[in-house]
Amino acid sequence: MSTLQTIHDVPVMMCAAEGEVIGSEGDVLDLIGNASYQGAQWVVIPAERFDKAFFQLRTRVAGDIVQKFANYRMALAVLGDISRHMEASSALRDFVRECNRGRQTWFLTDVEELRERLKG
């Protein structure tokens, strides 16, 4: 179940931790459509919802999903502890660092960090 919240005047679709595993760009189309319909600017997905392939950049799953969000002009925040994945991959660490510099895709540890980033 997803819920729409407003954080610092920004409409945010918060996805539940329970739900189907996200393992391809096709898996996010309904999320993007639902968020867009409800007027969300951001979709927040718990990290545990993603298939492990998302965190292995050589699979291109993360790139495809991030690109799908960008194509639909919808921002994505991956929320949760992904430190074990980042410890295993310098490429993922670089990807996360680059994403977090922008305003399209963020990898954040918790809702408080999201609130702080959306504050401006």
PDB file of all heavy atoms in Angstrom, residues 49-66:
ATOM      1  N   ARG A  49      12.636  -3.592  -1.006  1.00  0.00           N
ATOM      2  CA  ARG A  49      11.715  -3.959  -2.090  1.00  0.00           C
ATOM      3  C   ARG A  49      12.456  -4.308  -3.382  1.00  0.00           C
ATOM      4  O   ARG A  49      11.907  -4.955  -4.261  1.00  0.00           O
ATOM      5  CB  ARG A  49      10.743  -2.807  -2.381  1.00  0.00           C
ATOM      6  CG  ARG A  49       9.703  -2.529  -1.334  1.00  0.00           C
ATOM      7  CD  ARG A  49       8.500  -3.433  -1.397  1.00  0.00           C
ATOM      8  NE  ARG A  49       7.805  -3.473  -2.660  1.00  0.00           N
ATOM      9  CZ  ARG A  49       6.822  -2.650  -3.027  1.00  0.00           C
ATOM     10  NH1 ARG A  49       6.403  -1.721  -2.203  1.00  0.00           N
ATOM     11  NH2 ARG A  49       6.253  -2.781  -4.203  1.00  0.00           N
ATOM     12  N   PHE A  50      13.704  -3.852  -3.492  1.00  0.00           N
ATOM     13  CA  PHE A  50      14.453  -4.069  -4.727  1.00  0.00           C
ATOM     14  C   PHE A  50      15.125  -5.438  -4.747  1.00  0.00           C
ATOM     15  O   PHE A  50      15.681  -5.887  -3.745  1.00  0.00           O
ATOM     16  CB  PHE A  50      15.526  -2.983  -4.918  1.00  0.00           C
ATOM     17  CG  PHE A  50      14.957  -1.651  -5.274  1.00  0.00           C
ATOM     18  CD1 PHE A  50      14.768  -0.688  -4.299  1.00  0.00           C
ATOM     19  CD2 PHE A  50      14.593  -1.351  -6.577  1.00  0.00           C
ATOM     20  CE1 PHE A  50      14.228   0.545  -4.618  1.00  0.00           C
ATOM     21  CE2 PHE A  50      14.051  -0.123  -6.908  1.00  0.00           C
ATOM     22  CZ  PHE A  50      13.869   0.832  -5.918  1.00  0.00           C
ATOM     23  N   ASP A  51      15.083  -6.070  -5.905  1.00  0.00           N
ATOM     24  CA  ASP A  51      15.808  -7.309  -6.140  1.00  0.00           C
ATOM     25  C   ASP A  51      17.298  -7.031  -5.974  1.00  0.00           C
ATOM     26  O   ASP A  51      17.767  -5.919  -6.248  1.00  0.00           O
ATOM     27  CB  ASP A  51      15.515  -7.793  -7.572  1.00  0.00           C
ATOM     28  CG  ASP A  51      16.145  -9.127  -7.864  1.00  0.00           C
ATOM     29  OD1 ASP A  51      15.497 -10.146  -7.594  1.00  0.00           O
ATOM     30  OD2 ASP A  51      17.292  -9.137  -8.359  1.00  0.00           O
ATOM     31  N   LYS A  52      18.052  -8.033  -5.560  1.00  0.00           N
ATOM     32  CA  LYS A  52      19.493  -7.832  -5.346  1.00  0.00           C
ATOM     33  C   LYS A  52      20.200  -7.383  -6.623  1.00  0.00           C
ATOM     34  O   LYS A  52      21.228  -6.717  -6.563  1.00  0.00           O
ATOM     35  CB  LYS A  52      20.146  -9.088  -4.773  1.00  0.00           C
ATOM     36  CG  LYS A  52      20.114 -10.276  -5.694  1.00  0.00           C
ATOM     37  CD  LYS A  52      20.756 -11.487  -5.053  1.00  0.00           C
ATOM     38  CE  LYS A  52      20.697 -12.651  -6.018  1.00  0.00           C
ATOM     39  NZ  LYS A  52      21.263 -13.861  -5.456  1.00  0.00           N
ATOM     40  N   ALA A  53      19.648  -7.710  -7.787  1.00  0.00           N
ATOM     41  CA  ALA A  53      20.253  -7.287  -9.055  1.00  0.00           C
ATOM     42  C   ALA A  53      20.283  -5.768  -9.188  1.00  0.00           C
ATOM     43  O   ALA A  53      21.153  -5.218  -9.876  1.00  0.00           O
ATOM     44  CB  ALA A  53      19.506  -7.898 -10.231  1.00  0.00           C
ATOM     45  N   PHE A  54      19.355  -5.075  -8.536  1.00  0.00           N
ATOM     46  CA  PHE A  54      19.333  -3.608  -8.576  1.00  0.00           C
ATOM     47  C   PHE A  54      20.655  -3.039  -8.055  1.00  0.00           C
ATOM     48  O   PHE A  54      21.139  -2.023  -8.557  1.00  0.00           O
ATOM     49  CB  PHE A  54      18.159  -3.093  -7.725  1.00  0.00           C
ATOM     50  CG  PHE A  54      18.055  -1.599  -7.656  1.00  0.00           C
ATOM     51  CD1 PHE A  54      17.394  -0.881  -8.640  1.00  0.00           C
ATOM     52  CD2 PHE A  54      18.606  -0.895  -6.594  1.00  0.00           C
ATOM     53  CE1 PHE A  54      17.288   0.505  -8.571  1.00  0.00           C
ATOM     54  CE2 PHE A  54      18.501   0.484  -6.514  1.00  0.00           C
ATOM     55  CZ  PHE A  54      17.842   1.186  -7.510  1.00  0.00           C
ATOM     56  N   PHE A  55      21.221  -3.679  -7.062  1.00  0.00           N
ATOM     57  CA  PHE A  55      22.441  -3.183  -6.415  1.00  0.00           C
ATOM     58  C   PHE A  55      23.719  -3.702  -7.081  1.00  0.00           C
ATOM     59  O   PHE A  55      24.814  -3.390  -6.628  1.00  0.00           O
ATOM     60  CB  PHE A  55      22.414  -3.539  -4.928  1.00  0.00           C
ATOM     61  CG  PHE A  55      21.228  -2.945  -4.224  1.00  0.00           C
ATOM     62  CD1 PHE A  55      20.124  -3.720  -3.920  1.00  0.00           C
ATOM     63  CD2 PHE A  55      21.197  -1.594  -3.918  1.00  0.00           C
ATOM     64  CE1 PHE A  55      19.019  -3.165  -3.285  1.00  0.00           C
ATOM     65  CE2 PHE A  55      20.092  -1.025  -3.297  1.00  0.00           C
ATOM     66  CZ  PHE A  55      19.006  -1.817  -2.987  1.00  0.00           C
ATOM     67  N   GLN A  56      23.585  -4.476  -8.146  1.00  0.00           N
ATOM     68  CA  GLN A  56      24.721  -4.958  -8.922  1.00  0.00           C
ATOM     69  C   GLN A  56      24.672  -4.221 -10.264  1.00  0.00           C
ATOM     70  O   GLN A  56      23.933  -4.607 -11.174  1.00  0.00           O
ATOM     71  CB  GLN A  56      24.637  -6.470  -9.115  1.00  0.00           C
ATOM     72  CG  GLN A  56      24.658  -7.222  -7.806  1.00  0.00           C
ATOM     73  CD  GLN A  56      24.247  -8.678  -7.956  1.00  0.00           C
ATOM     74  OE1 GLN A  56      23.753  -9.109  -8.991  1.00  0.00           O
ATOM     75  NE2 GLN A  56      24.456  -9.445  -6.900  1.00  0.00           N
ATOM     76  N   LEU A  57      25.419  -3.157 -10.377  1.00  0.00           N
ATOM     77  CA  LEU A  57      25.284  -2.257 -11.524  1.00  0.00           C
ATOM     78  C   LEU A  57      25.529  -2.934 -12.866  1.00  0.00           C
ATOM     79  O   LEU A  57      24.969  -2.509 -13.865  1.00  0.00           O
ATOM     80  CB  LEU A  57      26.206  -1.046 -11.352  1.00  0.00           C
ATOM     81  CG  LEU A  57      25.852  -0.114 -10.192  1.00  0.00           C
ATOM     82  CD1 LEU A  57      26.745   1.114 -10.220  1.00  0.00           C
ATOM     83  CD2 LEU A  57      24.392   0.294 -10.226  1.00  0.00           C
ATOM     84  N   ARG A  58      26.308  -3.974 -12.876  1.00  0.00           N
ATOM     85  CA  ARG A  58      26.577  -4.662 -14.155  1.00  0.00           C
ATOM     86  C   ARG A  58      25.304  -5.236 -14.767  1.00  0.00           C
ATOM     87  O   ARG A  58      25.247  -5.479 -15.974  1.00  0.00           O
ATOM     88  CB  ARG A  58      27.645  -5.733 -13.971  1.00  0.00           C
ATOM     89  CG  ARG A  58      27.204  -6.925 -13.179  1.00  0.00           C
ATOM     90  CD  ARG A  58      28.326  -7.961 -13.016  1.00  0.00           C
ATOM     91  NE  ARG A  58      27.910  -9.060 -12.190  1.00  0.00           N
ATOM     92  CZ  ARG A  58      27.898  -9.054 -10.853  1.00  0.00           C
ATOM     93  NH1 ARG A  58      28.312  -7.987 -10.198  1.00  0.00           N
ATOM     94  NH2 ARG A  58      27.492 -10.106 -10.179  1.00  0.00           N
ATOM     95  N   THR A  59      24.255  -5.444 -13.967  1.00  0.00           N
ATOM     96  CA  THR A  59      22.994  -5.974 -14.481  1.00  0.00           C
ATOM     97  C   THR A  59      22.184  -4.902 -15.204  1.00  0.00           C
ATOM     98  O   THR A  59      21.237  -5.233 -15.918  1.00  0.00           O
ATOM     99  CB  THR A  59      22.118  -6.539 -13.348  1.00  0.00           C
ATOM    100  OG1 THR A  59      21.705  -5.474 -12.489  1.00  0.00           O
ATOM    101  CG2 THR A  59      22.845  -7.622 -12.565  1.00  0.00           C
ATOM    102  N   ARG A  60      22.493  -3.652 -14.986  1.00  0.00           N
ATOM    103  CA  ARG A  60      21.823  -2.494 -15.578  1.00  0.00           C
ATOM    104  C   ARG A  60      20.409  -2.262 -15.042  1.00  0.00           C
ATOM    105  O   ARG A  60      19.697  -1.395 -15.531  1.00  0.00           O
ATOM    106  CB  ARG A  60      21.796  -2.589 -17.107  1.00  0.00           C
ATOM    107  CG  ARG A  60      23.201  -2.697 -17.698  1.00  0.00           C
ATOM    108  CD  ARG A  60      23.197  -2.726 -19.175  1.00  0.00           C
ATOM    109  NE  ARG A  60      22.676  -1.436 -19.659  1.00  0.00           N
ATOM    110  CZ  ARG A  60      22.455  -1.172 -20.923  1.00  0.00           C
ATOM    111  NH1 ARG A  60      22.700  -2.075 -21.836  1.00  0.00           N
ATOM    112  NH2 ARG A  60      21.973  -0.017 -21.290  1.00  0.00           N
ATOM    113  N   VAL A  61      19.995  -3.028 -14.050  1.00  0.00           N
ATOM    114  CA  VAL A  61      18.650  -2.883 -13.487  1.00  0.00           C
ATOM    115  C   VAL A  61      18.480  -1.503 -12.863  1.00  0.00           C
ATOM    116  O   VAL A  61      17.494  -0.801 -13.126  1.00  0.00           O
ATOM    117  CB  VAL A  61      18.341  -4.009 -12.465  1.00  0.00           C
ATOM    118  CG1 VAL A  61      17.030  -3.744 -11.736  1.00  0.00           C
ATOM    119  CG2 VAL A  61      18.306  -5.365 -13.167  1.00  0.00           C
ATOM    120  N   ALA A  62      19.433  -1.082 -12.033  1.00  0.00           N
ATOM    121  CA  ALA A  62      19.330   0.229 -11.385  1.00  0.00           C
ATOM    122  C   ALA A  62      19.283   1.345 -12.423  1.00  0.00           C
ATOM    123  O   ALA A  62      18.451   2.254 -12.341  1.00  0.00           O
ATOM    124  CB  ALA A  62      20.490   0.449 -10.421  1.00  0.00           C
ATOM    125  N   GLY A  63      20.154   1.285 -13.397  1.00  0.00           N
ATOM    126  CA  GLY A  63      20.183   2.302 -14.444  1.00  0.00           C
ATOM    127  C   GLY A  63      18.882   2.371 -15.219  1.00  0.00           C
ATOM    128  O   GLY A  63      18.368   3.458 -15.508  1.00  0.00           O
ATOM    129  N   ASP A  64      18.321   1.211 -15.538  1.00  0.00           N
ATOM    130  CA  ASP A  64      17.057   1.176 -16.278  1.00  0.00           C
ATOM    131  C   ASP A  64      15.910   1.755 -15.447  1.00  0.00           C
ATOM    132  O   ASP A  64      15.076   2.500 -15.961  1.00  0.00           O
ATOM    133  CB  ASP A  64      16.719  -0.256 -16.699  1.00  0.00           C
ATOM    134  CG  ASP A  64      17.648  -0.794 -17.780  1.00  0.00           C
ATOM    135  OD1 ASP A  64      18.371   0.013 -18.413  1.00  0.00           O
ATOM    136  OD2 ASP A  64      17.653  -2.028 -17.989  1.00  0.00           O
ATOM    137  N   ILE A  65      15.871   1.411 -14.160  1.00  0.00           N
ATOM    138  CA  ILE A  65      14.804   1.914 -13.289  1.00  0.00           C
ATOM    139  C   ILE A  65      14.944   3.414 -13.089  1.00  0.00           C
ATOM    140  O   ILE A  65      13.957   4.158 -13.195  1.00  0.00           O
ATOM    141  CB  ILE A  65      14.790   1.145 -11.953  1.00  0.00           C
ATOM    142  CG1 ILE A  65      14.265  -0.278 -12.195  1.00  0.00           C
ATOM    143  CG2 ILE A  65      13.952   1.873 -10.905  1.00  0.00           C
ATOM    144  CD1 ILE A  65      14.354  -1.204 -11.004  1.00  0.00           C
ATOM    145  N   VAL A  66      16.142   3.876 -12.815  1.00  0.00           N
ATOM    146  CA  VAL A  66      16.370   5.316 -12.628  1.00  0.00           C
ATOM    147  C   VAL A  66      16.011   6.063 -13.911  1.00  0.00           C
ATOM    148  O   VAL A  66      15.384   7.131 -13.867  1.00  0.00           O
ATOM    149  CB  VAL A  66      17.840   5.577 -12.202  1.00  0.00           C
ATOM    150  CG1 VAL A  66      18.199   7.034 -12.313  1.00  0.00           C
ATOM    151  CG2 VAL A  66      18.060   5.079 -10.774  1.00  0.00           C
TER     152      VAL A  66
END
